[in-house]
């Protein structure tokens, strides 16, 4: 299979670059800049893409790479920091720019194979404080802006190309075409990466690996674990046991929906563990977000593995790991914004024949396409991102049964109205937050002092950035009216109009 390497130098868009390449039916994988050159040679890539990054190439503590990579005969595309790195490695000059460029900028490009089918003038997305003040010998400048004398350059003899802007983001008008040109005109790719055969190939491999042994999967009801369960069910049927831990922090009736789906549509053993009271007891008196996440994660781990220990023949352990969970970032340690629980560690006293991760090569959008082909209901395949700790981090402050009930009911109203108005497909994510604030209100002739609910809704292509959604006022009015009338304990609704950045999508 033809492959493109995305060499990660700490860029925030590294996964997006790989996804854009795969959208062109070419398989891409991400490796950190610490990957040895010999390893890259062995993998026989059709092309290499250097990502962006937050550093300056003339700072020797920044990520660099063996200059010999420019001479191995594999086409290379450098993006932003990757563009500057190519210049630095090839003997060009990189300096702090007199004028930094951020946001949408007009670029003027020369006619070339690299800019094939792209107008002379177009809008691109810039984000840089350094720039190439002098291109290396052998490189031709093929793109400029008012403040950037080298917005794009090429060495056609070595098949090395570089752009100061970000073609992978949708703000770059013809970025998709530029990536296509690199893949098909420069790298001569054929476009062999298709999802149609993924299910058949994966089912065949799973049957060969598992044989007559059993498989245990932790089923959360999310997209990834659901699709993994669907694939394993098709491969080995009743040899699969799915353990579903219902901790009481899911959306209204979601636990029942998950159970009904997997007991009626698929051939498997389904075990539901109801432990709502246990989690409420553990969360009593806890209000700090990270502590709540830690408690929910640890208790989920304990409940899940206590159930697994009851299985006599454990066989293999499967999980819904997807490609972003497997990527080792080239950036090093990142700031902890919130804790994620992507991959499950098995306790030392529980032994398996091995770990099975049938989705480990796929991005989320590819996982959804597999789920559709498996016949998994749309409500699960297109389930919006949901935090691992569930509603526990959409309740600001201490979590208890009363608060969970209020939030579930309010969120159900919001979802019902979005569906009725056909507006849910316009939104990447929407939900309610129980803010922990109480406000004065009037209902009938009585003064009230009840809960404030915040509605959060965003639009985004990749969740790296997000904009607050402009939901029509009449829909918001109906939602507000229904929640305050139908949900006991709520007397005020507010709408969050914060984009990401500066905010995050979730509140905690």
């Amino acid at each position: 299979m033809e492959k493109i390497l995305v060499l990660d130098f700490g860029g925030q868009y590294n996964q997006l670059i790989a996804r854009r390449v795969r959208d062109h039916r070419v398989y891409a994988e991400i490796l950190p800049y610490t990957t040895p050159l010999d390893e890259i040679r062995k993998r026989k890539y059709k092309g290499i893409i250097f990502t962006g990054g937050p550093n300056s190439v003339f700072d020797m503590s920044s990520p660099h790479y063996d200059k010999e990579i420019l001479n191995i005969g594999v086409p290379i595309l450098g993006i932003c920091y990757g563009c500057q790195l190519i210049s630095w490695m090839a003997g060009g000059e990189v300096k702090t720019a007199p004028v930094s460029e951020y946001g949408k900028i007009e670029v003027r490009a020369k006619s070339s194979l690299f800019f094939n089918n792209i107008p002379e003038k177009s809008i691109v997305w810039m984000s840089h404080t350094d720039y190439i003040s002098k291109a290396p010998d052998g490189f031709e400048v093929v793109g400029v802006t008012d403040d950037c004398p080298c917005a794009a350059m090429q060495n056609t003899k070595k098949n090395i190309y570089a752009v100061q802007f970000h073609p992978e983001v949708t703000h770059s008008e013809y970025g998709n075409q530029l990536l296509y040109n690199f893949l098909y005109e420069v790298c001569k790719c054929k476009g062999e990466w298709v999802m149609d055969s993924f299910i058949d190939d994966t089912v065949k491999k799973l049957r060969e690996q598992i044989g007559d042994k059993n498989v245990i999967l932790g089923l959360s009801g999310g997209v990834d674990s659901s699709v993994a369960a669907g694939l394993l069910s098709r491969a080995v049927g009743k040899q699969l046991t799915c353990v579903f831990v219902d901790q009481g922090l899911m959306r209204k009736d979601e636990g029942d929906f998950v159970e009904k789906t997997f007991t009626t549509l698929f051939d498997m053993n389904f075990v539901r563990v109801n432990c709502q009271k246990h989690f409420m007891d553990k969360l009593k008196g806890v209000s700090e977000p990270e502590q709540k996440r830690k408690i929910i994660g640890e208790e989920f781990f304990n409940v899940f593995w206590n159930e697994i220990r009851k299985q006599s023949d454990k066989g293999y352990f499967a999980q819904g790991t997807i490609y972003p969970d497997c990527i080792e970032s080239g950036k090093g340690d990142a700031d902890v914004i919130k804790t994620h629980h992507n991959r499950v560690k098995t306790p030392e006293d529980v032994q398996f024949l091995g770990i099975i991760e049938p989705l480990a090569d796929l991005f989320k959008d590819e996982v959804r396409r597999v789920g559709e082909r498996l016949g998994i209901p749309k409500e699960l395949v297109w389930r919006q991102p949901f935090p691992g700790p569930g509603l526990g981090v959409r309740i600001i402050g201490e979590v208890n049964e009363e608060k969970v009930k209020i939030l579930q009911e309010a969120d159900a109203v919001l979802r019902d109205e979005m569906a009725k108005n056909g507006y849910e497909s316009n939104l990447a994510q929407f939900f309610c937050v129980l803010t922990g604030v109480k406000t004065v209100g009037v209902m009938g002739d009585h003064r009230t002092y009840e809960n404030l609910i915040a509605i959060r809704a965003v639009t985004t292509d990749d969740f790296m950035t997000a904009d607050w959604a402009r939901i029509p006022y009449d829909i918001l009015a109906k939602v507000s009216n229904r929640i305050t009338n139908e949900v006991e304990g709520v007397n005020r609704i507010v709408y969050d109009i914060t984009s990401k950045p500066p905010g995050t999508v979730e509140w905690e």
Side-chain angles (χ1 to χ4, degrees), residues 92-109:
E93 292 182 0
V94 180
K95 297 180 179 179
T96 300
V99 179
S100 300
E101 290 181 308
Y102 293 99
K104 294 180 179 180
I105 304 290
E106 183 183 82
V107 67
R108 300 181 295 279

Side-chain angles (χ1 to χ4, degrees), residues 251-252 405-421 430-432 453 455 475-488 490 493:
R251 287 172 284 214
K252 184 180 179 181
K405 174 71 172 174
I406 291 171
L407 185 55
Q408 285 178 330
E409 294 296 335
D411 197 70
V413 170
L414 174 63
R415 295 190 173 281
D416 184 51
E417 284 300 321
M418 293 298 106
K420 282 181 179 177
N421 288 279
F430 59 92
F431 55 88
C432 289
I453 289 282
I455 295 173
I475 298 179
L476 286 174
K478 185 67 180 293
V479 171
S480 176
N481 186 61
R482 281 192 59 190
I483 291 177
T484 52
N485 279 279
E486 297 176 22
V487 181
E488 187 176 350
V490 178
I493 309 297

Side-chain angles (χ1 to χ4, degrees), residues 30 58 75 99 112 128 154 171 197 242 269 327 347 361 370 386 411 431 440 451 473:
I30 302 169
F58 44 79
V99 179
S112 68
H128 67 101
Q154 64 183 23
H171 302 301
S197 61
C242 287
N269 298 305
I327 297 170
D361 289 332
V370 172
F386 193 62
D411 197 70
F431 55 88
V440 176
N451 289 285
Y473 288 162

